[in-house]
Amino acid sequence: MKKNNKPDKIMKKNFAIAFSLMIIAVLSCNKDDEESDYTYSIGKIYWSDTLDTNQDGYAQFKRLHFNVYLEEQVNRTVVAEIYYRPKNASEFSFYAFSDFYDVKGDSTANDISVDIGFPNKELKRGYYDFTIELYEKGYNRLEAKCDSLQEELLSNQAFDESSRDKNYTIDISWSQIDDCDEDGFARNATMLVDIDVQDDVTKQVELYVYVKADDDSTYSLYNSYDEITISGSSPNDFVPVDIGVNHTELAENVYDFRLELYEKGSTVLLRFKDEKTDILNDRKFERQADDSYNYSVASFFWSDTVDTDMDGFTFKRKFHFDIDIDRNLSKELNAKIFFRHRDSSDYREYDSTGVFTISGSQPDDIVFQIGNAAAELDSSWYDILVSAFEITEIDTQLAISFPIAEDTIMFSMQYFETESQDSL
């Protein structure tokens, strides 16, 4: 019998096609890699935030800045590697990575910074040269480089360990965060700043507080304190810094803060903290007008009326009401009911509820029992007022009173009498 080779030919043909497609895919990938080799450069080297509190010319800390430029109109994520060497040493050693930065193309100046000194490695007393290498995130191809031979500001930088300098510390915490509508944006919060000095001495210092929107690059002065006395590491000399409506309102946004510390009358920076400290970045604030909500009375009615002698004067009945809030919030309230005798101009408190919780517009009746052995009302007509009070961590404040208009038929001229007066 003659062998049929047609299936074998089909298989060989399919294999050839698959192999060709694979080669094309590999070539395409290589082409994509070539196209992603964008054009980077490094420029505008500068230093900031020098900490040299004993002013001997050797800094315990400086922040190295440089601008990264990307020619193509794309956005990419990059990371810098910093290398250092003592002056006159032959080899550079790795020092630190920068954070990851999203850089914009079209030759935009993208500022990148790396801290030299704590919290990175402290450098022993001496002069140092530095090199900057730039890489795209996830790739090991060198995109740009700048070193001490190309840039004078990367050469002969004097550093010393912090233990040889005068040291101040700043510890920060937040308290009394006032966010009434519970949307994560506070109308006010207090930044507690505890300033300590290494030696057991008393110092007069000045504190400057700066703020910027999270997507801005420049800080603005928010507040300053120039009459601060600190004593060693005492925990009792902290500075409360009000952020928000208690000082100056901040429009709804996400904010970063920066603190700068100086000895009184001096321009020598002792210590600073900024958005690289987590507790000072991405803080949410809004104006008081945006941090509000309103209460309303959804319903109210009387029930279980007892008027034995049928004269229109009741000795006992129940008053029901339902309070809503115009946000999806839960709030704790208590309520008080007041009566005003027809011959009086003043309301007096009759009774109060315990603490109750309302949630948005969910129906939840609160009930007052009017008329009982402990609090009977003498035969007359009365005007009635109900007030509900919001219970917060800071204080207790009036939430809503009703009726708004005192001539509301269910609240004015309500007739009551005692049980003994309501007899047949």
Side-chain angles (χ1 to χ4, degrees):
M1 179 182 291
K2 184 177 179 181
K3 184 178 180 180
N4 186 355
N5 293 324
K6 187 174 181 180
D8 292 339
K9 290 180 179 180
I10 293 174
M11 289 181 62
K12 289 179 180 179
K13 182 178 181 181
N14 289 341
F15 176 80
I17 292 172
F19 183 76
S20 299
L21 291 174
M22 183 178 68
I23 295 297
I24 292 171
V26 171
L27 292 175
S28 297
C29 290
N30 290 338
K31 183 178 180 182
D32 289 341
D33 286 342
E34 290 175 3
E35 289 178 352
S36 66
D37 188 7
Y38 299 111
T39 309
Y40 291 89
S41 61
I42 297 173
K44 192 183 178 182
I45 311 294
Y46 66 100
W47 296 86
S48 74
D49 301 319
T50 299
L51 297 181
D52 178 16
T53 55
N54 62 11
Q55 291 292 282
D56 65 353
Y58 290 83
Q60 59 169 288
F61 176 95
K62 287 199 282 187
R63 181 167 285 169
L64 172 61
H65 296 258
F66 49 94
N67 283 349
V68 170
Y69 301 90
L70 172 58
E71 288 187 12
E72 290 78 12
Q73 293 184 344
V74 295
N75 294 345
R76 305 294 288 175
T77 302
V78 301
V79 61
E81 296 181 8
I82 307 301
Y83 294 82
Y84 79 108
R85 70 178 180 188
K87 192 63 180 175
N88 299 323
S90 58
E91 299 292 335
F92 281 89
S93 300
F94 174 76
Y95 180 76
F97 292 103
S98 73
D99 294 332
F100 289 112
Y101 284 83
D102 293 326
V103 299
K104 297 178 180 179
D106 200 18
S107 297
T108 301
N110 300 276
D111 187 82
I112 293 179
S113 65
V114 180
D115 292 344
I116 310 299
F118 182 83
N120 292 323
K121 177 181 178 179
E122 292 193 352
L123 299 177
K124 294 181 179 179
R125 188 178 181 89
Y127 289 86
Y128 294 85
D129 296 338
F130 294 89
T131 294
I132 304 167
E133 293 186 357
L134 186 71
Y135 298 85
E136 284 192 355
K137 181 180 179 181
Y139 294 89
N140 58 10
R141 180 180 56 240
L142 180 64
E143 301 291 355
K145 181 177 180 179
C146 189
D147 60 29
S148 55
L149 296 177
Q150 301 167 286
E151 175 56 58
E152 184 178 356
L153 285 174
L154 293 177
S155 178
N156 292 326
Q157 296 295 318
F159 282 90
D160 201 355
E161 294 172 301
S162 61
S163 60
R164 297 168 61 95
D165 212 348
K166 291 192 299 182
N167 278 306
Y168 291 78
T169 60
I170 299 175
D171 290 319
I172 302 163
S173 60
W174 291 90
S175 70
Q176 297 180 325
I177 298 173
D178 189 3
D179 177 16
C180 289
D181 60 9
E182 301 177 18
D183 63 352
F185 289 80
R187 68 171 68 184
N188 201 86
T190 301
M191 183 195 303
L192 300 177
V193 183
D194 182 24
I195 305 166
D196 291 334
V197 60
Q198 183 179 31
D199 301 320
D200 188 17
V201 294
T202 298
K203 291 284 188 180
Q204 297 290 118
V205 296
E206 300 175 354
L207 178 69
Y208 294 84
V209 181
Y210 297 84
V211 66
K212 71 176 182 67
D214 180 60
D215 55 356
D216 287 343
S217 59
T218 305
Y219 284 96
S220 299
L221 181 64
Y222 182 77
N223 205 353
S224 61
Y225 303 81
D226 57 5
E227 296 292 339
I228 303 172
T229 301
I230 62 171
S231 299
S233 58
S234 170
N236 300 318
D237 53 11
F238 65 85
V239 181
V241 178
D242 278 325
I243 305 295
V245 67
N246 287 352
H247 175 60
T248 300
E249 285 191 308
L250 296 174
E252 184 175 324
N253 211 331
V254 180
Y255 292 91
D256 298 330
F257 293 89
R258 175 182 170 93
L259 307 182
E260 293 183 0
L261 182 68
Y262 300 85
E263 286 193 5
K264 188 170 178 60
S266 172
T267 59
V268 177
L269 182 63
L270 302 177
R271 185 66 57 184
F272 77 95
K273 295 272 190 177
D274 62 8
E275 78 273 14
K276 289 196 174 184
T277 303
D278 286 343
I279 201 169
L280 291 178
N281 64 34
D282 295 343
R283 308 299 303 191
K284 297 179 179 180
F285 285 90
E286 64 185 354
R287 293 189 177 96
Q288 182 174 0
D290 299 320
D291 185 42
S292 61
Y293 46 85
N294 294 305
Y295 290 97
S296 61
V297 181
S299 64
F300 49 82
F301 60 93
W302 294 98
S303 75
D304 300 324
T305 298
V306 179
D307 179 12
T308 306
D309 59 9
M310 304 291 288
D311 63 354
F313 288 76
T314 61
F315 94 85
K316 185 165 59 175
R317 52 176 139 149
K318 292 179 181 178
F319 181 69
H320 302 248
F321 62 91
D322 176 24
I323 298 176
D324 288 348
I325 187 170
D326 64 351
R327 301 283 184 95
N328 186 24
L329 301 173
S330 293
K331 292 293 182 180
E332 289 190 335
L333 306 176
N334 70 354
K336 297 179 180 181
I337 188 165
F338 300 87
F339 282 80
R340 180 172 62 186
H341 189 275
R342 68 179 181 179
D343 296 329
S344 174
S345 59
D346 298 322
Y347 284 94
R348 66 178 179 86
E349 184 178 339
Y350 175 79
D351 199 2
S352 62
T353 67
V355 175
F356 58 90
T357 301
I358 66 167
S359 298
S361 58
Q362 293 182 10
D364 190 9
D365 283 349
I366 310 302
V367 182
F368 279 111
Q369 172 72 54
I370 310 299
N372 52 59
E376 291 187 314
L377 295 171
D378 192 34
S379 180
S380 185
W381 60 257
Y382 298 82
D383 293 333
I384 299 172
L385 176 69
V386 179
S387 294
F389 299 85
E390 180 182 317
I391 301 170
T392 70
E393 293 181 1
I394 299 174
D395 57 15
T396 298
Q397 55 194 8
L398 179 64
I400 189 171
S401 288
F402 49 99
I404 304 301
E406 293 187 4
D407 60 355
T408 302
I409 192 170
M410 285 192 180
F411 293 89
S412 64
M413 299 183 67
Q414 297 297 306
Y415 290 82
F416 288 91
E417 61 187 357
T418 65
E419 184 176 8
S420 62
Q421 292 167 337
D422 186 42
S423 59
L424 295 174

